[in-house]
Amino acid sequence: MEELLLEGLPEDCVVKSAPVSRQSSFHGGRGRSKSITLDLFPSPEMFLKTISAQQTIFDDADSKNSRDQVSDDDDVFRPPRHDSKEDKSQGCIWVTASHDPVTEELRVTLVKSHIFSQKEVEESSSIVAKVFLLPEEKANQASAMPKSNGLVEFNQTFIFEVKSHELSEKSLRISLYGETKKRIRRSIGHRIVALSEFDLENEYQGCLELEGNATSGGDRGQLLISAVLSPDKQKAKITVIRAKELKLNDSDPDSKICCQAKYNVGHKLIKQKESALVEASRDPKFHEAFVFSVHGRQLDLINFHISIVGTVKNRGIADGYEYGKVVIGSYLFAHGKGLRQWQSMVREPMVQISEWHPLQE
């Protein structure tokens, strides 16, 4: 035991037994009693230094034992390393997937996820994960409380009916959202994977990295949009006011531009409208309003694509090109300012919400 405690200590901490100090006393002359003192720690400083060194030894041993207890199966659910500063992954999610050809059932299990943004973890009261079977967009949802270290445990299985010969045509989209106490959802990341990439016969197990929402710094200019939602009338009014800092090719003096608004439910186009043509310039004004009929039950699927379309001489809008666009809608389709404006519209019906949006390619 003594050798174990002394092994690995710094040399200046190992103090061998000091010379024995004997003190003699006589009790009535009948016998002699001896008291022995061993000065193993000559000073308080040496004592603290020795204890610290011993604690380091035991900590290293515990760490080694913990690593030795990790099984090979844990590698499947071990988070990927992010050594590159260029890595823009927002998180990862562990999934298992299998397909039963007899019952024609696709079973997808969300095991857990790891969110890399500490700010997102602190501001979210719950983490919502959605699994979509594409292209039909059949969706299932799971939610769980995040831990302080960014780990979220779901352990939920979803079943989709998919025939064996249709597997090669299907894909999974997994989306992760942070939900605040006010029930406002912010997109964390997404991942779309073709089912053909999974070994469904042997039950796929692995970790999928979530891709963040690419945002542009507004290099193509900005668009001012005012919008209002009228639930009673089941109407949404989108007004394109003006644009600024456009970088159009003005070499053709006869070139024109217009605004095009598309109303979609999911990925299905419901209605499309265009504004009047105006002269192409750096800061054009439109003042065009588009009114669409919407349904309250479809709020999670509604999205509006507002585009600036350019035309050339002697050609109409149908032959034009899309210069840039803005997406306003639910968290499934929009992000950033487009998502925030839509959430404000839903939270404050009958109130005009205005926002400058950077134009995306």
Side-chain angles (χ1 to χ4, degrees), residues 216-248:
S216 171
D219 293 338
R220 306 179 74 85
Q222 299 185 60
L223 195 62
L224 178 59
I225 299 176
S226 178
V228 61
L229 189 64
S230 304
D232 296 339
K233 298 180 180 180
Q234 294 189 341
K235 299 287 185 181
K237 183 179 180 181
I238 309 294
T239 303
V240 181
I241 301 175
R242 64 189 182 94
K244 67 178 181 180
E245 300 175 356
L246 301 186
K247 298 177 176 61
L248 296 166

PDB file of all heavy atoms in Angstrom, residues 216-248:
ATOM      1  N   SER A 216     -27.327  35.078 -46.702  1.00  0.00           N
ATOM      2  CA  SER A 216     -26.499  35.964 -47.516  1.00  0.00           C
ATOM      3  C   SER A 216     -26.426  37.327 -46.859  1.00  0.00           C
ATOM      4  O   SER A 216     -27.317  37.739 -46.144  1.00  0.00           O
ATOM      5  CB  SER A 216     -27.107  36.090 -48.922  1.00  0.00           C
ATOM      6  OG  SER A 216     -26.458  37.083 -49.648  1.00  0.00           O
ATOM      7  N   GLY A 217     -25.374  38.026 -47.116  1.00  0.00           N
ATOM      8  CA  GLY A 217     -25.214  39.337 -46.513  1.00  0.00           C
ATOM      9  C   GLY A 217     -25.922  40.432 -47.280  1.00  0.00           C
ATOM     10  O   GLY A 217     -25.699  41.598 -47.029  1.00  0.00           O
ATOM     11  N   GLY A 218     -26.791  40.080 -48.224  1.00  0.00           N
ATOM     12  CA  GLY A 218     -27.514  41.086 -48.978  1.00  0.00           C
ATOM     13  C   GLY A 218     -26.699  41.664 -50.109  1.00  0.00           C
ATOM     14  O   GLY A 218     -26.850  42.834 -50.456  1.00  0.00           O
ATOM     15  N   ASP A 219     -25.825  40.856 -50.730  1.00  0.00           N
ATOM     16  CA  ASP A 219     -24.984  41.343 -51.821  1.00  0.00           C
ATOM     17  C   ASP A 219     -25.806  41.724 -53.047  1.00  0.00           C
ATOM     18  O   ASP A 219     -25.346  42.489 -53.891  1.00  0.00           O
ATOM     19  CB  ASP A 219     -23.948  40.275 -52.195  1.00  0.00           C
ATOM     20  CG  ASP A 219     -22.949  40.045 -51.073  1.00  0.00           C
ATOM     21  OD1 ASP A 219     -22.808  40.955 -50.239  1.00  0.00           O
ATOM     22  OD2 ASP A 219     -22.348  38.965 -51.036  1.00  0.00           O
ATOM     23  N   ARG A 220     -26.982  41.178 -53.161  1.00  0.00           N
ATOM     24  CA  ARG A 220     -27.834  41.470 -54.318  1.00  0.00           C
ATOM     25  C   ARG A 220     -28.827  42.591 -54.042  1.00  0.00           C
ATOM     26  O   ARG A 220     -29.671  42.886 -54.899  1.00  0.00           O
ATOM     27  CB  ARG A 220     -28.587  40.203 -54.752  1.00  0.00           C
ATOM     28  CG  ARG A 220     -27.659  39.028 -55.014  1.00  0.00           C
ATOM     29  CD  ARG A 220     -28.423  37.791 -55.425  1.00  0.00           C
ATOM     30  NE  ARG A 220     -28.918  37.903 -56.785  1.00  0.00           N
ATOM     31  CZ  ARG A 220     -28.207  37.603 -57.866  1.00  0.00           C
ATOM     32  NH1 ARG A 220     -26.957  37.216 -57.740  1.00  0.00           N
ATOM     33  NH2 ARG A 220     -28.733  37.717 -59.069  1.00  0.00           N
ATOM     34  N   GLY A 221     -28.758  43.187 -52.858  1.00  0.00           N
ATOM     35  CA  GLY A 221     -29.676  44.254 -52.511  1.00  0.00           C
ATOM     36  C   GLY A 221     -30.706  43.808 -51.486  1.00  0.00           C
ATOM     37  O   GLY A 221     -30.663  42.678 -50.986  1.00  0.00           O
ATOM     38  N   GLN A 222     -31.634  44.696 -51.190  1.00  0.00           N
ATOM     39  CA  GLN A 222     -32.652  44.414 -50.178  1.00  0.00           C
ATOM     40  C   GLN A 222     -34.028  44.796 -50.696  1.00  0.00           C
ATOM     41  O   GLN A 222     -34.173  45.646 -51.581  1.00  0.00           O
ATOM     42  CB  GLN A 222     -32.344  45.172 -48.886  1.00  0.00           C
ATOM     43  CG  GLN A 222     -31.010  44.797 -48.256  1.00  0.00           C
ATOM     44  CD  GLN A 222     -30.805  45.479 -46.930  1.00  0.00           C
ATOM     45  OE1 GLN A 222     -31.587  45.293 -45.998  1.00  0.00           O
ATOM     46  NE2 GLN A 222     -29.751  46.285 -46.826  1.00  0.00           N
ATOM     47  N   LEU A 223     -35.040  44.167 -50.078  1.00  0.00           N
ATOM     48  CA  LEU A 223     -36.422  44.381 -50.480  1.00  0.00           C
ATOM     49  C   LEU A 223     -37.255  44.684 -49.241  1.00  0.00           C
ATOM     50  O   LEU A 223     -37.192  43.948 -48.253  1.00  0.00           O
ATOM     51  CB  LEU A 223     -36.957  43.133 -51.189  1.00  0.00           C
ATOM     52  CG  LEU A 223     -38.250  43.255 -52.004  1.00  0.00           C
ATOM     53  CD1 LEU A 223     -38.062  44.256 -53.152  1.00  0.00           C
ATOM     54  CD2 LEU A 223     -38.655  41.890 -52.564  1.00  0.00           C
ATOM     55  N   LEU A 224     -38.011  45.783 -49.295  1.00  0.00           N
ATOM     56  CA  LEU A 224     -38.872  46.169 -48.180  1.00  0.00           C
ATOM     57  C   LEU A 224     -40.267  45.595 -48.413  1.00  0.00           C
ATOM     58  O   LEU A 224     -40.925  45.927 -49.407  1.00  0.00           O
ATOM     59  CB  LEU A 224     -38.941  47.691 -48.048  1.00  0.00           C
ATOM     60  CG  LEU A 224     -39.848  48.237 -46.933  1.00  0.00           C
ATOM     61  CD1 LEU A 224     -39.417  47.716 -45.559  1.00  0.00           C
ATOM     62  CD2 LEU A 224     -39.859  49.771 -46.950  1.00  0.00           C
ATOM     63  N   ILE A 225     -40.711  44.754 -47.485  1.00  0.00           N
ATOM     64  CA  ILE A 225     -42.002  44.074 -47.610  1.00  0.00           C
ATOM     65  C   ILE A 225     -42.817  44.316 -46.356  1.00  0.00           C
ATOM     66  O   ILE A 225     -42.316  44.188 -45.234  1.00  0.00           O
ATOM     67  CB  ILE A 225     -41.813  42.559 -47.820  1.00  0.00           C
ATOM     68  CG1 ILE A 225     -41.040  42.296 -49.111  1.00  0.00           C
ATOM     69  CG2 ILE A 225     -43.150  41.836 -47.849  1.00  0.00           C
ATOM     70  CD1 ILE A 225     -40.717  40.836 -49.342  1.00  0.00           C
ATOM     71  N   SER A 226     -44.078  44.682 -46.567  1.00  0.00           N
ATOM     72  CA  SER A 226     -45.031  44.833 -45.476  1.00  0.00           C
ATOM     73  C   SER A 226     -46.095  43.751 -45.630  1.00  0.00           C
ATOM     74  O   SER A 226     -46.572  43.494 -46.741  1.00  0.00           O
ATOM     75  CB  SER A 226     -45.673  46.222 -45.499  1.00  0.00           C
ATOM     76  OG  SER A 226     -46.627  46.349 -44.470  1.00  0.00           O
ATOM     77  N   ALA A 227     -46.449  43.095 -44.531  1.00  0.00           N
ATOM     78  CA  ALA A 227     -47.397  41.984 -44.614  1.00  0.00           C
ATOM     79  C   ALA A 227     -48.341  41.997 -43.431  1.00  0.00           C
ATOM     80  O   ALA A 227     -47.985  42.443 -42.337  1.00  0.00           O
ATOM     81  CB  ALA A 227     -46.648  40.656 -44.683  1.00  0.00           C
ATOM     82  N   VAL A 228     -49.550  41.502 -43.656  1.00  0.00           N
ATOM     83  CA  VAL A 228     -50.563  41.428 -42.601  1.00  0.00           C
ATOM     84  C   VAL A 228     -51.399  40.177 -42.817  1.00  0.00           C
ATOM     85  O   VAL A 228     -51.667  39.776 -43.949  1.00  0.00           O
ATOM     86  CB  VAL A 228     -51.458  42.688 -42.586  1.00  0.00           C
ATOM     87  CG1 VAL A 228     -52.193  42.845 -43.907  1.00  0.00           C
ATOM     88  CG2 VAL A 228     -52.443  42.646 -41.421  1.00  0.00           C
ATOM     89  N   LEU A 229     -51.786  39.546 -41.721  1.00  0.00           N
ATOM     90  CA  LEU A 229     -52.603  38.333 -41.752  1.00  0.00           C
ATOM     91  C   LEU A 229     -53.958  38.634 -41.132  1.00  0.00           C
ATOM     92  O   LEU A 229     -54.029  39.200 -40.040  1.00  0.00           O
ATOM     93  CB  LEU A 229     -51.895  37.214 -40.990  1.00  0.00           C
ATOM     94  CG  LEU A 229     -52.482  35.807 -41.088  1.00  0.00           C
ATOM     95  CD1 LEU A 229     -52.399  35.285 -42.530  1.00  0.00           C
ATOM     96  CD2 LEU A 229     -51.740  34.861 -40.150  1.00  0.00           C
ATOM     97  N   SER A 230     -55.034  38.279 -41.835  1.00  0.00           N
ATOM     98  CA  SER A 230     -56.403  38.497 -41.343  1.00  0.00           C
ATOM     99  C   SER A 230     -57.071  37.142 -41.167  1.00  0.00           C
ATOM    100  O   SER A 230     -57.662  36.597 -42.117  1.00  0.00           O
ATOM    101  CB  SER A 230     -57.207  39.357 -42.322  1.00  0.00           C
ATOM    102  OG  SER A 230     -56.554  40.585 -42.556  1.00  0.00           O
ATOM    103  N   PRO A 231     -56.993  36.546 -39.968  1.00  0.00           N
ATOM    104  CA  PRO A 231     -57.566  35.222 -39.759  1.00  0.00           C
ATOM    105  C   PRO A 231     -59.076  35.174 -39.989  1.00  0.00           C
ATOM    106  O   PRO A 231     -59.601  34.180 -40.501  1.00  0.00           O
ATOM    107  CB  PRO A 231     -57.210  34.911 -38.305  1.00  0.00           C
ATOM    108  CG  PRO A 231     -56.082  35.833 -37.964  1.00  0.00           C
ATOM    109  CD  PRO A 231     -56.320  37.061 -38.774  1.00  0.00           C
ATOM    110  N   ASP A 232     -59.801  36.234 -39.593  1.00  0.00           N
ATOM    111  CA  ASP A 232     -61.254  36.242 -39.750  1.00  0.00           C
ATOM    112  C   ASP A 232     -61.645  36.154 -41.218  1.00  0.00           C
ATOM    113  O   ASP A 232     -62.580  35.440 -41.593  1.00  0.00           O
ATOM    114  CB  ASP A 232     -61.851  37.495 -39.111  1.00  0.00           C
ATOM    115  CG  ASP A 232     -61.624  37.540 -37.608  1.00  0.00           C
ATOM    116  OD1 ASP A 232     -61.385  36.452 -37.029  1.00  0.00           O
ATOM    117  OD2 ASP A 232     -61.664  38.630 -37.022  1.00  0.00           O
ATOM    118  N   LYS A 233     -60.925  36.888 -42.056  1.00  0.00           N
ATOM    119  CA  LYS A 233     -61.231  36.877 -43.488  1.00  0.00           C
ATOM    120  C   LYS A 233     -60.440  35.807 -44.235  1.00  0.00           C
ATOM    121  O   LYS A 233     -60.632  35.623 -45.441  1.00  0.00           O
ATOM    122  CB  LYS A 233     -60.919  38.250 -44.088  1.00  0.00           C
ATOM    123  CG  LYS A 233     -61.746  39.383 -43.494  1.00  0.00           C
ATOM    124  CD  LYS A 233     -61.386  40.707 -44.148  1.00  0.00           C
ATOM    125  CE  LYS A 233     -62.201  41.855 -43.556  1.00  0.00           C
ATOM    126  NZ  LYS A 233     -61.858  43.162 -44.179  1.00  0.00           N
ATOM    127  N   GLN A 234     -59.537  35.126 -43.512  1.00  0.00           N
ATOM    128  CA  GLN A 234     -58.671  34.110 -44.114  1.00  0.00           C
ATOM    129  C   GLN A 234     -57.922  34.676 -45.325  1.00  0.00           C
ATOM    130  O   GLN A 234     -57.888  34.098 -46.408  1.00  0.00           O
ATOM    131  CB  GLN A 234     -59.485  32.872 -44.505  1.00  0.00           C
ATOM    132  CG  GLN A 234     -60.069  32.129 -43.308  1.00  0.00           C
ATOM    133  CD  GLN A 234     -60.679  30.806 -43.691  1.00  0.00           C
ATOM    134  OE1 GLN A 234     -60.991  30.561 -44.857  1.00  0.00           O
ATOM    135  NE2 GLN A 234     -60.852  29.924 -42.718  1.00  0.00           N
ATOM    136  N   LYS A 235     -57.306  35.844 -45.079  1.00  0.00           N
ATOM    137  CA  LYS A 235     -56.567  36.529 -46.134  1.00  0.00           C
ATOM    138  C   LYS A 235     -55.170  36.904 -45.621  1.00  0.00           C
ATOM    139  O   LYS A 235     -54.982  37.179 -44.436  1.00  0.00           O
ATOM    140  CB  LYS A 235     -57.284  37.804 -46.576  1.00  0.00           C
ATOM    141  CG  LYS A 235     -58.680  37.593 -47.149  1.00  0.00           C
ATOM    142  CD  LYS A 235     -58.634  36.980 -48.540  1.00  0.00           C
ATOM    143  CE  LYS A 235     -60.024  36.895 -49.144  1.00  0.00           C
ATOM    144  NZ  LYS A 235     -60.008  36.270 -50.493  1.00  0.00           N
ATOM    145  N   ALA A 236     -54.239  36.894 -46.532  1.00  0.00           N
ATOM    146  CA  ALA A 236     -52.891  37.397 -46.260  1.00  0.00           C
ATOM    147  C   ALA A 236     -52.557  38.423 -47.330  1.00  0.00           C
ATOM    148  O   ALA A 236     -52.733  38.171 -48.523  1.00  0.00           O
ATOM    149  CB  ALA A 236     -51.876  36.265 -46.269  1.00  0.00           C
ATOM    150  N   LYS A 237     -52.095  39.599 -46.894  1.00  0.00           N
ATOM    151  CA  LYS A 237     -51.774  40.681 -47.815  1.00  0.00           C
ATOM    152  C   LYS A 237     -50.276  40.949 -47.754  1.00  0.00           C
ATOM    153  O   LYS A 237     -49.731  41.306 -46.706  1.00  0.00           O
ATOM    154  CB  LYS A 237     -52.555  41.943 -47.453  1.00  0.00           C
ATOM    155  CG  LYS A 237     -52.334  43.111 -48.405  1.00  0.00           C
ATOM    156  CD  LYS A 237     -53.177  44.314 -47.990  1.00  0.00           C
ATOM    157  CE  LYS A 237     -52.973  45.501 -48.924  1.00  0.00           C
ATOM    158  NZ  LYS A 237     -53.777  46.669 -48.494  1.00  0.00           N
ATOM    159  N   ILE A 238     -49.605  40.772 -48.880  1.00  0.00           N
ATOM    160  CA  ILE A 238     -48.176  41.008 -48.990  1.00  0.00           C
ATOM    161  C   ILE A 238     -47.957  42.228 -49.875  1.00  0.00           C
ATOM    162  O   ILE A 238     -48.354  42.233 -51.044  1.00  0.00           O
ATOM    163  CB  ILE A 238     -47.450  39.790 -49.606  1.00  0.00           C
ATOM    164  CG1 ILE A 238     -47.836  38.494 -48.875  1.00  0.00           C
ATOM    165  CG2 ILE A 238     -45.954  40.002 -49.593  1.00  0.00           C
ATOM    166  CD1 ILE A 238     -47.372  38.428 -47.452  1.00  0.00           C
ATOM    167  N   THR A 239     -47.353  43.267 -49.320  1.00  0.00           N
ATOM    168  CA  THR A 239     -47.109  44.503 -50.071  1.00  0.00           C
ATOM    169  C   THR A 239     -45.608  44.696 -50.271  1.00  0.00           C
ATOM    170  O   THR A 239     -44.854  44.780 -49.307  1.00  0.00           O
ATOM    171  CB  THR A 239     -47.687  45.722 -49.332  1.00  0.00           C
ATOM    172  OG1 THR A 239     -49.085  45.524 -49.106  1.00  0.00           O
ATOM    173  CG2 THR A 239     -47.492  46.982 -50.151  1.00  0.00           C
ATOM    174  N   VAL A 240     -45.201  44.735 -51.536  1.00  0.00           N
ATOM    175  CA  VAL A 240     -43.797  45.011 -51.865  1.00  0.00           C
ATOM    176  C   VAL A 240     -43.677  46.519 -52.067  1.00  0.00           C
ATOM    177  O   VAL A 240     -44.257  47.077 -53.004  1.00  0.00           O
ATOM    178  CB  VAL A 240     -43.359  44.259 -53.123  1.00  0.00           C
ATOM    179  CG1 VAL A 240     -41.898  44.545 -53.426  1.00  0.00           C
ATOM    180  CG2 VAL A 240     -43.578  42.758 -52.947  1.00  0.00           C
ATOM    181  N   ILE A 241     -42.942  47.183 -51.205  1.00  0.00           N
ATOM    182  CA  ILE A 241     -42.872  48.643 -51.225  1.00  0.00           C
ATOM    183  C   ILE A 241     -41.757  49.114 -52.155  1.00  0.00           C
ATOM    184  O   ILE A 241     -42.012  49.801 -53.144  1.00  0.00           O
ATOM    185  CB  ILE A 241     -42.674  49.183 -49.803  1.00  0.00           C
ATOM    186  CG1 ILE A 241     -43.845  48.719 -48.904  1.00  0.00           C
ATOM    187  CG2 ILE A 241     -42.586  50.714 -49.818  1.00  0.00           C
ATOM    188  CD1 ILE A 241     -43.689  49.087 -47.444  1.00  0.00           C
ATOM    189  N   ARG A 242     -40.530  48.749 -51.868  1.00  0.00           N
ATOM    190  CA  ARG A 242     -39.431  49.195 -52.721  1.00  0.00           C
ATOM    191  C   ARG A 242     -38.208  48.335 -52.462  1.00  0.00           C
ATOM    192  O   ARG A 242     -38.169  47.539 -51.518  1.00  0.00           O
ATOM    193  CB  ARG A 242     -39.098  50.660 -52.471  1.00  0.00           C
ATOM    194  CG  ARG A 242     -38.587  50.992 -51.086  1.00  0.00           C
ATOM    195  CD  ARG A 242     -38.500  52.494 -50.873  1.00  0.00           C
ATOM    196  NE  ARG A 242     -37.982  52.878 -49.574  1.00  0.00           N
ATOM    197  CZ  ARG A 242     -36.703  53.147 -49.329  1.00  0.00           C
ATOM    198  NH1 ARG A 242     -35.808  53.059 -50.307  1.00  0.00           N
ATOM    199  NH2 ARG A 242     -36.304  53.502 -48.122  1.00  0.00           N
ATOM    200  N   ALA A 243     -37.217  48.518 -53.319  1.00  0.00           N
ATOM    201  CA  ALA A 243     -35.942  47.814 -53.183  1.00  0.00           C
ATOM    202  C   ALA A 243     -34.815  48.837 -53.137  1.00  0.00           C
ATOM    203  O   ALA A 243     -35.016  50.009 -53.496  1.00  0.00           O
ATOM    204  CB  ALA A 243     -35.733  46.845 -54.347  1.00  0.00           C
ATOM    205  N   LYS A 244     -33.665  48.414 -52.684  1.00  0.00           N
ATOM    206  CA  LYS A 244     -32.516  49.312 -52.649  1.00  0.00           C
ATOM    207  C   LYS A 244     -31.228  48.528 -52.876  1.00  0.00           C
ATOM    208  O   LYS A 244     -31.147  47.321 -52.620  1.00  0.00           O
ATOM    209  CB  LYS A 244     -32.447  50.072 -51.329  1.00  0.00           C
ATOM    210  CG  LYS A 244     -32.162  49.225 -50.102  1.00  0.00           C
ATOM    211  CD  LYS A 244     -32.077  50.096 -48.850  1.00  0.00           C
ATOM    212  CE  LYS A 244     -31.762  49.265 -47.609  1.00  0.00           C
ATOM    213  NZ  LYS A 244     -31.669  50.114 -46.397  1.00  0.00           N
ATOM    214  N   GLU A 245     -30.251  49.236 -53.410  1.00  0.00           N
ATOM    215  CA  GLU A 245     -28.903  48.709 -53.628  1.00  0.00           C
ATOM    216  C   GLU A 245     -28.889  47.508 -54.569  1.00  0.00           C
ATOM    217  O   GLU A 245     -28.098  46.571 -54.393  1.00  0.00           O
ATOM    218  CB  GLU A 245     -28.252  48.345 -52.292  1.00  0.00           C
ATOM    219  CG  GLU A 245     -28.121  49.530 -51.340  1.00  0.00           C
ATOM    220  CD  GLU A 245     -27.589  49.132 -49.981  1.00  0.00           C
ATOM    221  OE1 GLU A 245     -27.406  47.913 -49.763  1.00  0.00           O
ATOM    222  OE2 GLU A 245     -27.360  50.014 -49.142  1.00  0.00           O
ATOM    223  N   LEU A 246     -29.781  47.513 -55.551  1.00  0.00           N
ATOM    224  CA  LEU A 246     -29.770  46.435 -56.542  1.00  0.00           C
ATOM    225  C   LEU A 246     -28.565  46.592 -57.457  1.00  0.00           C
ATOM    226  O   LEU A 246     -28.158  47.710 -57.772  1.00  0.00           O
ATOM    227  CB  LEU A 246     -31.060  46.438 -57.365  1.00  0.00           C
ATOM    228  CG  LEU A 246     -32.384  46.286 -56.607  1.00  0.00           C
ATOM    229  CD1 LEU A 246     -33.543  46.166 -57.585  1.00  0.00           C
ATOM    230  CD2 LEU A 246     -32.349  45.085 -55.677  1.00  0.00           C
ATOM    231  N   LYS A 247     -28.024  45.486 -57.902  1.00  0.00           N
ATOM    232  CA  LYS A 247     -26.858  45.509 -58.798  1.00  0.00           C
ATOM    233  C   LYS A 247     -27.274  44.925 -60.143  1.00  0.00           C
ATOM    234  O   LYS A 247     -26.767  43.884 -60.585  1.00  0.00           O
ATOM    235  CB  LYS A 247     -25.709  44.731 -58.173  1.00  0.00           C
ATOM    236  CG  LYS A 247     -25.227  45.339 -56.849  1.00  0.00           C
ATOM    237  CD  LYS A 247     -24.145  44.502 -56.218  1.00  0.00           C
ATOM    238  CE  LYS A 247     -23.615  45.168 -54.958  1.00  0.00           C
ATOM    239  NZ  LYS A 247     -24.641  45.349 -53.915  1.00  0.00           N
ATOM    240  N   LEU A 248     -28.209  45.589 -60.766  1.00  0.00           N
ATOM    241  CA  LEU A 248     -28.706  45.142 -62.065  1.00  0.00           C
ATOM    242  C   LEU A 248     -27.779  45.586 -63.181  1.00  0.00           C
ATOM    243  O   LEU A 248     -27.069  46.596 -63.064  1.00  0.00           O
ATOM    244  CB  LEU A 248     -30.111  45.706 -62.312  1.00  0.00           C
ATOM    245  CG  LEU A 248     -31.211  45.222 -61.357  1.00  0.00           C
ATOM    246  CD1 LEU A 248     -32.436  46.107 -61.494  1.00  0.00           C
ATOM    247  CD2 LEU A 248     -31.564  43.772 -61.646  1.00  0.00           C
TER     248      LEU A 248
END
